[in-house]
Amino acid sequence: MKKSSKLLAIPLIIWLAVFVVVPFVIIIYYGVTVENDAGVISVSFENLKRFADPMYLKVFLRSIKIALISTMVCLLIGYPVAYILSRSASKYKGLIMLLIMMPMWMNFLLRTYSWMSLLENSGIINSILQALGLDKVQFLYNEGAVTFGTVYNFLPFMIMPINTTLLKLDDSLLEAAYDLGAKPAQRFFRITLPFSMPGVLSGIAMVFVPSVTTFVISQLMGGGKVPLIGDIIEKQFRVVNDWHFGATISLVVMIVVLSFMFVINRTDKQDAGERSMIL
């Protein structure tokens, strides 16, 4: 049995080696080396010092800020939506879930371009405002537009794991709390919220990680005026052709993301201990 299990794991091991380990090793190789004018490659941390330039640090901090704001907004919107869906007995529950998931079936660029056509200066919303005698509003090409685009595209990734976790919540715990005289707020903060934390933490990770590294949203809805760290990395590989500096930035971002995931996992383990004490 053990031998057959190992054989079944071989395709997964090969897939991980080819598409995870090998690219990671390549990034590390380029990230810790530099190439001089003669084409000689040597180990150096010069690109790391270059990344410490205030210009790059400003872009990096902006990326972190927008990712944190987007994640928080997704949580504030996504948790109530997921809670209502999980507690609802409406026959339209499936339809609502379908409407939440449907945008994810469309191309990422198509969704972003659709909002641009609505929000641009000559778009539908500004045309309606002008028809009402109001002035145009500059919706696009600012941090607010980038944050809005990020929230819109990644909101389903917050709703789905929270909804899944809430659906698994044992109603008998809420009934027991009710019988013991717990008020609705007490039942929520002492039972529902703690037991939904795995979904919350999973949703936070699924929104924060792509938000930090996105570059399509910032290029389109930011109009190039709100560059994020993903734009800098993409430019190094595709435009400047400086793979070494691009890999160095990628490593820094990867370290930040892995640190964030580590904190999420530690928090989840601590919450699991508290949930077991409740049970």
Side-chain angles (χ1 to χ4, degrees):
M1 184 66 180
K2 291 183 178 180
K3 185 176 180 180
S4 61
S5 300
K6 291 180 180 179
L7 291 175
L8 291 174
I10 290 177
L12 175 62
I13 294 173
I14 295 175
W15 189 91
L16 290 174
V18 174
F19 295 104
V20 178
V21 177
V22 173
F24 184 65
V25 171
I26 293 175
I27 290 176
I28 293 177
Y29 167 75
Y30 277 101
V32 299
T33 58
V34 294
E35 183 177 0
N36 60 22
D37 296 335
V40 178
I41 297 177
S42 59
V43 177
S44 174
F45 294 98
E46 188 63 34
N47 283 325
L48 192 59
K49 296 179 181 179
R50 179 181 170 190
F51 180 70
D53 185 282
M55 179 184 70
Y56 296 117
L57 290 179
K58 181 180 179 181
V59 174
F60 184 57
L61 292 176
R62 179 192 297 135
S63 303
I64 297 294
K65 181 184 73 172
I66 291 179
L68 289 174
I69 293 175
S70 300
T71 303
M72 184 59 64
V73 173
C74 284
L75 180 59
L76 293 175
I77 297 175
Y79 195 99
V81 172
Y83 181 82
I84 293 171
L85 284 174
S86 65
R87 300 289 100 184
S88 174
S90 172
K91 62 180 180 179
Y92 299 109
K93 181 178 178 179
L95 176 61
I96 296 173
M97 186 63 68
L98 177 64
L99 293 175
I100 293 174
M101 294 295 296
M102 190 176 295
M104 298 178 64
W105 299 347
M106 294 186 293
N107 182 272
F108 185 86
L109 285 173
L110 180 61
R111 299 200 304 267
T112 307
Y113 275 119
S114 298
W115 273 108
M116 289 182 65
S117 66
L118 290 171
L119 300 176
E120 63 185 359
N121 290 337
S122 57
I124 297 175
I125 295 179
N126 270 319
S127 297
I128 294 175
L129 291 177
Q130 283 187 302
L132 295 174
L134 302 174
D135 294 331
K136 288 184 178 181
V137 178
Q138 182 66 43
F139 293 110
L140 296 177
Y141 315 132
N142 51 55
E143 287 191 12
V146 176
T147 303
F148 175 81
T150 304
V151 170
Y152 169 74
N153 280 290
F154 299 132
L155 180 59
F157 294 105
M158 181 67 74
I159 295 175
M160 297 308 298
I162 297 177
N163 179 66
T164 301
T165 306
L166 288 172
L167 287 173
K168 296 178 181 178
L169 178 61
D170 191 351
D171 289 336
S172 62
L173 294 174
L174 297 174
E175 293 173 359
Y178 176 79
D179 292 339
L180 292 172
K183 296 180 180 179
Q186 291 176 315
R187 296 199 296 270
F188 175 78
F189 287 106
R190 297 295 298 273
I191 298 176
T192 303
L193 184 60
F195 278 86
S196 65
M197 284 308 294
V200 171
L201 296 176
S202 178
I204 289 174
M206 293 175 68
V207 173
F208 178 81
V209 173
S211 297
V212 171
T213 56
T214 185
F215 62 91
V216 174
I217 297 174
S218 57
Q219 288 181 0
L220 295 179
M221 302 196 74
K225 297 180 180 180
V226 189
L228 302 181
I229 199 64
D231 297 284
I232 303 297
I233 295 174
E234 188 260 352
K235 182 179 179 181
Q236 301 304 315
F237 282 100
R238 196 170 67 88
V239 180
V240 182
N241 199 30
D242 188 350
W243 285 34
H244 297 277
F245 186 48
T248 300
I249 302 176
S250 300
L251 284 175
V252 174
V253 175
M254 191 181 303
I255 291 172
V256 172
V257 169
L258 291 176
S259 301
F260 179 79
M261 296 299 296
F262 175 77
V263 172
I264 290 292
N265 290 331
R266 286 291 299 273
T267 304
D268 191 23
K269 290 181 180 178
Q270 293 176 358
D271 291 336
E274 294 177 0
R275 291 192 296 270
S276 63
M277 291 178 63
I278 294 175
L279 292 173

